[in-house]
Amino acid sequence: MPLPTALFWERRDVSGAEHTLLESRTGLYAHGTALAAAPVPYACHYELQTDPDWVTTRLDVRAEGAGWARSVRLELAAGRWRITASEQGDLDAALVAAGHARAGLPGSEDPDLLYGAFDADLGGSPLTNTLPIRRLDLLKAETGVAHRLNVAWVLVPSLEVVQADQIYTPLGGDRVRFASETFSADLTVDDEGFVVDYPGLARRVTLGS
């Protein structure tokens, strides 16, 4: 059985990194860990599964830091999302002590807002940008045509799940423009659609170099 693929990114917005192991022959299965020093130091562990068409079917996330831990599970079936969440300790206390606003609760108050979303986006993780790129086959799609998506966005470290409108536009070659309501970046990806360079967020490190 072939070894899984290992990818490693260095964060560029804060001190941090992400390491993931994945298998992508029939859709995507991945598990990994993201570390960041802000807004408070945390470790975020995740497990992600898609169907063969790269539609997200499950995302499990656990985030933990000094004095707190949170978890959330997203499952998509028959077009509807089921979301369960838990928390321990006091993330708000850690955020306030660091001069930040309190966090939203983990999970979602109204999963029906996510109806029509086929992709989950884990905050700060360049891995999840690959999901719509592969699902829509954007590296072979018409250049310059924007694809508007409804996405289940998991905020980190709070693990609050919110509806997000995102736009992916193939630019030709190995570049895809990602945009939200307040942000835009031209991503560089490899032949498999995995992010190599995400300006302002992360850059992939060649393992073994």
Side-chain angles (χ1 to χ4, degrees), residues 33 56 69 85 102 112 120 130-131 150 167:
T33 298
T56 302
R102 296 174 182 272
D112 286 343
T130 297
L131 300 175
N150 181 19
I167 302 172

Side-chain angles (χ1 to χ4, degrees), residues 5-9 18-22 29-33 46 127:
T5 299
L7 300 178
F8 188 96
W9 291 273
E18 178 177 350
H19 174 260
T20 189
L21 295 172
L22 62 89
Y29 171 77
H31 64 92
T33 298
Y46 62 82
L127 174 67

Side-chain angles (χ1 to χ4, degrees), residues 136 138 142-149 166-170 177 179:
L136 299 171
L138 293 185
E142 183 177 351
T143 300
V145 175
H147 299 259
R148 296 179 180 271
L149 310 177
Q166 298 181 349
I167 302 172
Y168 282 77
T169 306
R177 177 167 295 155

Side-chain angles (χ1 to χ4, degrees), residues 10-58:
E10 287 182 337
R11 289 283 289 266
R12 301 165 90 183
D13 55 341
V14 300
S15 296
E18 178 177 350
H19 174 260
T20 189
L21 295 172
L22 62 89
E23 167 56 53
S24 59
R25 288 176 298 174
T26 54
L28 179 67
Y29 171 77
H31 64 92
T33 298
L35 305 172
V40 292
Y42 68 82
C44 177
H45 311 284
Y46 62 82
E47 185 176 16
L48 173 66
Q49 181 82 51
T50 77
D51 69 12
D53 295 321
W54 286 75
V55 173
T56 302
T57 56
R58 179 175 60 86

Side-chain angles (χ1 to χ4, degrees), residues 126-202:
L127 174 67
T128 46
N129 292 99
T130 297
L131 300 175
I133 291 173
R134 288 293 296 267
R135 182 173 63 81
L136 299 171
D137 205 11
L138 293 185
L139 294 184
K140 298 179 181 178
E142 183 177 351
T143 300
V145 175
H147 299 259
R148 296 179 180 271
L149 310 177
N150 181 19
V151 174
W153 184 23
V154 182
L155 306 183
V156 181
S158 71
L159 304 191
E160 181 182 3
V161 182
V162 299
Q163 184 275 338
D165 296 313
Q166 298 181 349
I167 302 172
Y168 282 77
T169 306
L171 301 178
D174 60 359
R175 293 189 306 134
V176 176
R177 177 167 295 155
F178 165 76
S180 64
E181 294 179 355
T182 59
F183 178 80
S184 177
D186 291 351
L187 313 181
T188 302
V189 301
D190 63 18
D191 292 343
E192 300 297 317
F194 294 105
V195 172
V196 174
D197 185 40
Y198 187 138
L201 179 72

Side-chain angles (χ1 to χ4, degrees), residues 61-76:
V61 188
R62 176 177 171 82
E64 56 189 354
W68 62 272
R70 291 183 169 200
S71 65
V72 68
R73 168 176 283 191
L74 292 77
E75 297 172 287
L76 179 63

